[in-house]
Amino acid sequence: MKKILLYCLALFIILTTTACSNSKPMILFNKNQITVETVMNNSTEFSAGERIYYLILIPKKVKTHNIYIQVIKKGSAGRLGYELYWTRNARLKDEQMYYYDDYLVLHQPGSYVMVVYSKDNPQKPLTMSPFIVN
Protein backbone atom coordinates (compact mmCIF):
# COMPACT_ATOMS: atom_id res chain seq x y z
CA MET A 1 0.00 0.00 0.00
CA LYS A 2 2.89 2.37 0.83
CA LYS A 3 4.51 1.70 -2.52
CA ILE A 4 1.28 2.45 -4.36
CA LEU A 5 0.86 5.73 -2.47
CA LEU A 6 4.49 6.66 -3.09
CA TYR A 7 4.10 5.84 -6.80
CA CYS A 8 0.96 7.99 -7.02
CA LEU A 9 2.73 10.80 -5.18
CA ALA A 10 5.76 10.61 -7.47
CA LEU A 11 3.53 10.63 -10.53
CA PHE A 12 1.60 13.59 -9.13
CA ILE A 13 4.81 15.54 -8.49
CA ILE A 14 6.08 14.77 -11.98
CA LEU A 15 2.83 15.87 -13.58
CA THR A 16 2.45 19.07 -11.54
CA THR A 17 6.06 20.26 -11.68
CA THR A 18 6.71 19.31 -15.29
CA ALA A 19 3.67 20.19 -17.36
CA CYS A 20 5.81 20.73 -20.46
CA SER A 21 7.07 17.97 -22.71
CA ASN A 22 10.69 18.79 -21.80
CA SER A 23 10.38 17.47 -18.23
CA LYS A 24 13.64 16.66 -16.48
CA PRO A 25 14.56 14.18 -13.76
CA MET A 26 15.15 15.50 -10.24
CA ILE A 27 16.37 14.38 -6.81
CA LEU A 28 14.61 15.27 -3.56
CA PHE A 29 16.48 14.87 -0.25
CA ASN A 30 14.82 14.56 3.14
CA LYS A 31 15.81 14.00 6.77
CA ASN A 32 12.78 11.75 7.34
CA GLN A 33 11.56 8.77 5.38
CA ILE A 34 9.80 10.04 2.28
CA THR A 35 6.04 9.59 2.49
CA VAL A 36 3.02 11.50 1.27
CA GLU A 37 3.23 13.77 4.34
CA THR A 38 6.99 14.42 4.26
CA VAL A 39 7.74 14.69 0.54
CA MET A 40 7.56 18.50 0.54
CA ASN A 41 10.04 18.83 3.48
CA ASN A 42 12.97 18.95 1.10
CA SER A 43 16.36 19.70 2.72
CA THR A 44 19.98 19.76 1.57
CA GLU A 45 21.88 19.99 4.90
CA PHE A 46 22.37 16.91 7.04
CA SER A 47 24.36 15.84 10.10
CA ALA A 48 27.13 13.28 9.84
CA GLY A 49 25.94 9.77 10.64
CA GLU A 50 22.22 10.39 10.05
CA ARG A 51 20.14 8.83 7.30
CA ILE A 52 19.77 10.87 4.13
CA TYR A 53 16.59 9.80 2.37
CA TYR A 54 16.35 10.53 -1.34
CA LEU A 55 13.73 10.26 -4.05
CA ILE A 56 14.81 10.21 -7.69
CA LEU A 57 12.01 11.23 -10.05
CA ILE A 58 12.42 10.03 -13.64
CA PRO A 59 9.70 11.37 -15.97
CA LYS A 60 10.82 9.37 -19.02
CA LYS A 61 10.88 5.59 -18.86
CA VAL A 62 14.35 4.03 -18.65
CA LYS A 63 14.48 1.23 -21.23
CA THR A 64 16.96 -1.00 -19.40
CA HIS A 65 15.27 -0.59 -15.98
CA ASN A 66 18.72 0.12 -14.49
CA ILE A 67 20.16 3.30 -13.02
CA TYR A 68 23.57 4.01 -11.57
CA ILE A 69 23.84 6.39 -8.59
CA GLN A 70 27.08 8.10 -7.55
CA VAL A 71 27.87 10.36 -4.62
CA ILE A 72 30.91 12.53 -5.28
CA LYS A 73 32.68 14.43 -2.49
CA LYS A 74 33.89 17.88 -3.51
CA GLY A 75 37.10 19.43 -2.20
CA SER A 76 38.83 16.20 -1.22
CA ALA A 77 42.25 14.91 -2.24
CA GLY A 78 40.93 12.85 -5.15
CA ARG A 79 41.19 13.53 -8.83
CA LEU A 80 40.96 17.30 -9.52
CA GLY A 81 39.54 17.84 -6.05
CA TYR A 82 36.67 15.34 -6.46
CA GLU A 83 36.43 11.88 -4.96
CA LEU A 84 33.98 9.12 -5.85
CA TYR A 85 32.60 8.43 -2.38
CA TRP A 86 29.62 6.06 -2.78
CA THR A 87 27.95 4.17 -5.64
CA ARG A 88 24.92 2.00 -6.17
CA ASN A 89 23.47 0.10 -9.12
CA ALA A 90 19.69 0.02 -8.85
CA ARG A 91 17.13 -1.93 -10.82
CA LEU A 92 13.79 -0.18 -11.24
CA LYS A 93 10.87 -2.47 -10.53
CA ASP A 94 7.79 -2.50 -12.75
CA GLU A 95 5.71 -0.60 -10.19
CA GLN A 96 8.40 2.10 -9.75
CA MET A 97 9.50 2.84 -13.30
CA TYR A 98 9.31 6.61 -12.77
CA TYR A 99 10.94 6.92 -9.35
CA TYR A 100 13.47 5.32 -7.03
CA ASP A 101 13.73 5.91 -3.29
CA ASP A 102 16.25 4.78 -0.70
CA TYR A 103 18.60 6.23 1.91
CA LEU A 104 22.31 6.48 2.58
CA VAL A 105 24.45 7.36 5.59
CA LEU A 106 27.58 9.51 5.26
CA HIS A 107 29.95 9.88 8.21
CA GLN A 108 32.40 12.46 6.82
CA PRO A 109 31.41 16.13 6.78
CA GLY A 110 31.71 17.91 3.45
CA SER A 111 30.02 19.03 0.30
CA TYR A 112 28.63 16.27 -1.91
CA VAL A 113 26.88 15.86 -5.25
CA MET A 114 24.55 12.97 -6.11
CA VAL A 115 24.65 12.06 -9.80
CA VAL A 116 22.24 9.63 -11.46
CA TYR A 117 22.95 7.86 -14.75
CA SER A 118 20.79 5.59 -16.86
CA LYS A 119 22.33 2.37 -18.12
CA ASP A 120 20.81 3.36 -21.50
CA ASN A 121 23.32 6.23 -21.77
CA PRO A 122 26.00 5.98 -19.04
CA GLN A 123 28.04 8.93 -20.38
CA LYS A 124 25.32 11.56 -19.82
CA PRO A 125 23.89 12.13 -16.32
CA LEU A 126 20.12 12.04 -15.97
CA THR A 127 20.24 14.45 -13.05
CA MET A 128 22.49 15.72 -10.28
CA SER A 129 21.89 17.53 -7.02
CA PRO A 130 24.24 18.93 -4.36
CA PHE A 131 23.90 18.48 -0.59
CA ILE A 132 25.98 19.16 2.53
CA VAL A 133 26.90 16.96 5.49
CA ASN A 134 27.95 18.84 8.65
Side-chain angles (χ1 to χ4, degrees), residues 12-68:
F12 174 74
I13 290 172
I14 289 171
L15 291 176
T16 57
T17 59
T18 57
C20 303
S21 62
N22 60 354
S23 58
K24 296 182 180 183
M26 62 174 32
I27 303 171
L28 298 174
F29 296 106
N30 204 327
K31 293 182 180 184
N32 302 312
Q33 187 172 4
I34 298 174
T35 62
V36 177
E37 295 85 22
T38 64
V39 73
M40 298 310 280
N41 299 339
N42 194 20
S43 60
T44 56
E45 289 194 25
F46 303 94
S47 299
E50 78 173 335
R51 288 183 176 186
I52 302 170
Y53 292 93
Y54 60 91
L55 174 66
I56 301 168
L57 299 171
I58 309 166
K60 295 180 183 174
K61 192 172 183 179
V62 177
K63 294 177 186 174
T64 60
H65 300 261
N66 291 313
I67 58 173
Y68 180 62

Side-chain angles (χ1 to χ4, degrees), residues 53-103:
Y53 292 93
Y54 60 91
L55 174 66
I56 301 168
L57 299 171
I58 309 166
K60 295 180 183 174
K61 192 172 183 179
V62 177
K63 294 177 186 174
T64 60
H65 300 261
N66 291 313
I67 58 173
Y68 180 62
I69 305 166
Q70 291 182 341
V71 173
I72 299 168
K73 186 174 183 183
K74 297 192 288 185
S76 58
R79 184 177 180 186
L80 299 175
Y82 293 92
E83 176 187 0
L84 184 60
Y85 192 79
W86 179 87
T87 63
R88 166 159 296 160
N89 287 316
R91 176 143 177 87
L92 301 175
K93 299 175 186 171
D94 289 338
E95 65 270 7
Q96 57 177 191
M97 286 304 303
Y98 298 102
Y99 74 94
Y100 180 77
D101 65 320
D102 203 356
Y103 72 90

